[in-house]
């Protein structure tokens, strides 16, 4: 089946620093990717839609200057958490839509801890 | 926006038992997917099922789009079935998925 890979799987950083998370589609091209955030024991919350070659579309309440998204190629989207603070600590998961069929495949997730 | 609710929120089963998980959604949908989130957080695709019935081994799913619900059946449950089960739907012009509240399943030996 389709494979989506995220890196890093875990990251610990100091408050005030920026962290970049990569999401790659390994065996298909993805014009659209999605970024989700999950708090402990909660459901997944959609943060933004990443579109190859154009600006990301952010969900209401998500700060676009805090969570920078870049989708520079058909196989790579990146999420940069800028000037991270402890409240940004969370599990971030990306997903990719294979060939615009609507079926999404998810990466392994990246657990961010901000000290 | 569309609301997605799952029931039950928690479920404890003995190994070998069967179960039915339900997903209700508030509007018509184009797509519906079921996922299993394992203890490490990985989301495993179970079914892509906007309508109809599908089966894969001990798992099967049915979506009745006109009545706005989907069911996931787990038969002869195993301890490895433990985890959180999510349904997610896409009801808008874009294909972004909105996740349900999840069902936490614990299968005991």
């Amino acid at each position: 089946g389709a494979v989506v890979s995220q890196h890093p799987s875990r990251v610990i950083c100091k408050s005030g620093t920026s962290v970049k998370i990569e999401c790659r589609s390994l065996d298909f091209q993805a014009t659209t990717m999605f970024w989700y955030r999950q708090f402990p024991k909660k459901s997944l919350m959609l943060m933004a839609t990443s579109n190859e070659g154009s600006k990301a579309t952010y969900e209401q309440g998500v700060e676009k200057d805090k969570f920078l998204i870049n989708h520079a190629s058909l196989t790579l989207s990146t999420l940069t958490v800028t000037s991270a603070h402890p409240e940004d600590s969370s599990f971030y998961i990306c997903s990719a839509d294979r060939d615009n069929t609507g079926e999404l495949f998810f990466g392994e997730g990246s657990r961010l801890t901000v000290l | 926006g569309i609301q997605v609710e799952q029931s039950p929120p928690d479920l404890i089963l003995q190994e070998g038992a069967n179960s039915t998980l339900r997903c209700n959604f508030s509007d018509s949908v184009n797509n519906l997917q079921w996922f299993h989130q394992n203890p490490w957080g990985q989301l495993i695709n179970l079914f892509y099922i906007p309508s109809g019935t599908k089966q894969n081994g001990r798992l099967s799913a049915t979506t009745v789009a006109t009545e706005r619900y989907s069911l996931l059946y787990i038969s002869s449950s195993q301890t490895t079935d433990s985890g959180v089960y999510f349904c997610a739907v896409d009801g808008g012009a874009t294909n972004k998925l909105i996740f349900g509240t999840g069902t936490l399943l614990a299968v005991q030996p």
Side-chain angles (χ1 to χ4, degrees):
Chain A
V3 177
V4 177
S5 179
Q6 267 183 256
H7 178 81
S9 58
R10 291 179 179 271
V11 57
I12 300 172
C13 70
K14 293 182 178 180
S15 187
T17 60
S18 294
V19 174
K20 180 184 286 188
I21 301 170
E22 293 186 346
C23 177
R24 294 180 184 275
S25 57
L26 298 185
D27 59 355
F28 62 96
Q29 294 183 330
T31 55
T32 305
M33 292 184 175
F34 302 92
W35 286 94
Y36 290 81
R37 182 174 183 177
Q38 187 178 29
F39 292 103
K41 300 187 186 301
K42 297 292 185 182
S43 186
L44 280 76
M45 181 186 73
L46 179 65
M47 298 174 66
T49 302
S50 174
N51 304 297
E52 188 270 334
S54 64
K55 291 183 178 180
T57 305
Y58 290 81
E59 295 298 305
Q60 190 172 8
V62 178
E63 300 177 61
K64 54 184 169 184
D65 294 332
K66 157 70 75 175
F67 300 101
L68 299 180
I69 291 172
N70 184 278
H71 194 151
S73 77
L74 287 171
T75 59
L76 174 64
S77 175
T78 60
L79 168 68
T80 301
V81 183
T82 63
S83 187
H85 288 94
E87 58 265 30
D88 298 325
S89 299
S90 194
F91 190 59
Y92 293 90
I93 316 175
C94 72
S95 66
D97 176 1
R98 183 172 61 182
D99 298 329
N100 289 322
T101 62
E103 184 175 10
L104 294 192
F105 295 86
F106 283 77
E108 308 94 328
S110 300
R111 192 167 302 281
L112 171 64
T113 302
V114 185
L115 302 176
Chain B
I2 193 167
Q3 303 297 313
V4 188
E5 293 189 0
Q6 293 182 240
S7 60
D10 303 279
L11 184 60
I12 300 174
L13 297 175
Q14 291 298 119
E15 200 166 25
N18 303 326
S19 64
T20 300
L21 281 57
R22 187 177 180 101
C23 172
N24 291 330
F25 40 95
S26 61
D27 205 344
S28 58
V29 299
N30 299 316
N31 298 321
L32 186 146
Q33 289 185 248
W34 281 98
F35 299 92
H36 174 212
Q37 188 170 38
N38 65 23
W40 298 272
Q42 173 77 55
L43 280 170
I44 309 298
N45 287 42
L46 297 178
F47 294 102
Y48 172 66
I49 186 167
S51 63
T53 297
K54 290 186 177 179
Q55 180 160 5
N56 184 3
R58 296 182 296 105
L59 302 181
S60 63
T62 294
T63 297
V64 184
T66 53
E67 297 186 21
R68 300 181 183 171
Y69 73 88
S70 183
L71 302 173
L72 177 68
Y73 306 97
I74 304 174
S75 64
S76 304
S77 58
Q78 300 176 359
T79 56
T80 52
D81 294 333
S82 297
V84 183
Y85 288 81
F86 288 107
C87 74
V89 303
D90 154 33
T94 64
N95 54 0
K96 55 186 181 183
L97 286 184
I98 304 302
F99 276 73
T101 48
T103 292
L104 176 59
L105 173 65
V107 181
Q108 298 178 339

